[in-house]
Amino acid sequence: MEIIQGKQALYIDAPALDERLAGYDAVHMDIGTGDGRYVRHVAQTRPHCFAVGVDACRENLREVSRGAPENALFVIANAQRLPSELYGLAAQVTINFPWGSLLEGLLTGDTSLLASLAAVAAPHTELEVRLNGGALAEAGWSLEAGADRVRDVLIANGFAMRAPVMLAAHELRSLPTTWARRLAFGRDPRAVYLHGTRKVNSIVHAAPALEGAILA
Ligand SMILES: C[S@@+](CC[C@H](N)C(=O)[O-])C[C@H]1O[C@@H](n2cnc3c(N)ncnc32)[C@H](O)[C@@H]1O
């Protein structure tokens, strides 16, 4: 799989990744990591955890990956086709403020995305998804209906998800992601938090019946 370290793109295989992971208690994967700030925070605050940031866009990851801690790795990949080297590794997965095909895939129950998420998850993997009102509105959903829809899709695809929780601006401000801070100080700070775990031996069902989209 392709990883990035500053200006350099490198390829590492499963044995090389195993070596990097040796001695760590758990792997935390952040999908759609953007500039990787959240991954750096996880790596710095949880030294026994190995943090992996994944994003389709390499430009934003150059800076953070240049001085990345030992226990952090930045992978260039599309969430719909996560590299097989990552399969079965994640004890925790975060998706913070997705947009584009990542958000669309969560709303439509894109089979490739859900199969990819299922593939990287170990049994009982914890999943946290944070969605923001502006991105959902652009995708044609209200915050509440969009959150319910993503939750339904995840439930239909093997995750036991709790009820959505609205995030206040002060909660966004304290989240160590660049997008959270932008939202917190921006015009539309509405966001919602979904939290759950992967059920063991679950199957990917893709999209449940479509309900709740805003008819623009
Ligand atoms: C709004 S940014 C959020 C970045 C970061 N999570 C944060 O909170 O600051 C959304 C990110 O999702 C990434 N993204 C969108 N679709 C993706 C896909 N299919 N696969 C991987 N990354 C994707 C974008 O490149 C972008 O970096």
Side-chain angles (χ1 to χ4, degrees), residues 145-195:
D148 286 344
R149 170 68 184 174
V150 171
R151 179 173 179 264
D152 288 347
V153 163
L154 292 169
I155 289 172
N157 286 279
F159 290 90
M161 301 301 296
R162 299 184 195 156
V165 177
M166 292 299 153
L167 292 173
H170 75 269
E171 290 171 297
L172 285 177
R173 278 198 293 277
S174 66
L175 263 175
T177 95
T178 295
W179 210 254
R181 293 189 70 77
R182 260 189 221 177
L183 291 169
F185 294 105
R187 271 186 305 174
D188 186 359
R190 295 168 310 130
V192 65
Y193 174 63
L194 297 172
H195 184 203

Side-chain angles (χ1 to χ4, degrees), residues 39-62:
V39 165
R40 187 179 56 199
H41 173 85
V42 170
Q44 287 174 339
T45 54
R46 295 169 56 201
H48 299 294
C49 172
F50 195 95
V52 178
V54 180
D55 205 285
C57 173
R58 73 193 64 231
E59 278 69 35
N60 293 341
L61 284 171
R62 290 197 203 287

Side-chain angles (χ1 to χ4, degrees), residues 21 23-27 47-50 91:
L21 298 179
Y24 292 101
D25 295 345
V27 174
H48 299 294
C49 172
F50 195 95

Side-chain angles (χ1 to χ4, degrees), residues 6 30 87 106 124-125 130 132 141 152 164 177 179-180 188 199:
D30 187 44
Y87 286 6
L106 290 170
H124 307 296
T125 293
R130 296 178 179 90
N132 64 291
W141 292 79
D152 288 347
T177 95
W179 210 254
D188 186 359
K199 291 187 257 173

Side-chain angles (χ1 to χ4, degrees), residues 40-98:
R40 187 179 56 199
H41 173 85
V42 170
Q44 287 174 339
T45 54
R46 295 169 56 201
H48 299 294
C49 172
F50 195 95
V52 178
V54 180
D55 205 285
C57 173
R58 73 193 64 231
E59 278 69 35
N60 293 341
L61 284 171
R62 290 197 203 287
E63 197 182 319
V64 73
S65 64
R66 191 177 303 132
E70 285 274 291
N71 59 335
L73 187 70
F74 294 96
V75 176
I76 305 302
N78 190 319
Q80 274 106 338
R81 290 181 297 280
L82 291 172
S84 57
E85 290 85 347
L86 298 178
Y87 286 6
L89 290 182
Q92 273 174 286
V93 174
T94 40
I95 306 179
N96 289 320
F97 312 109

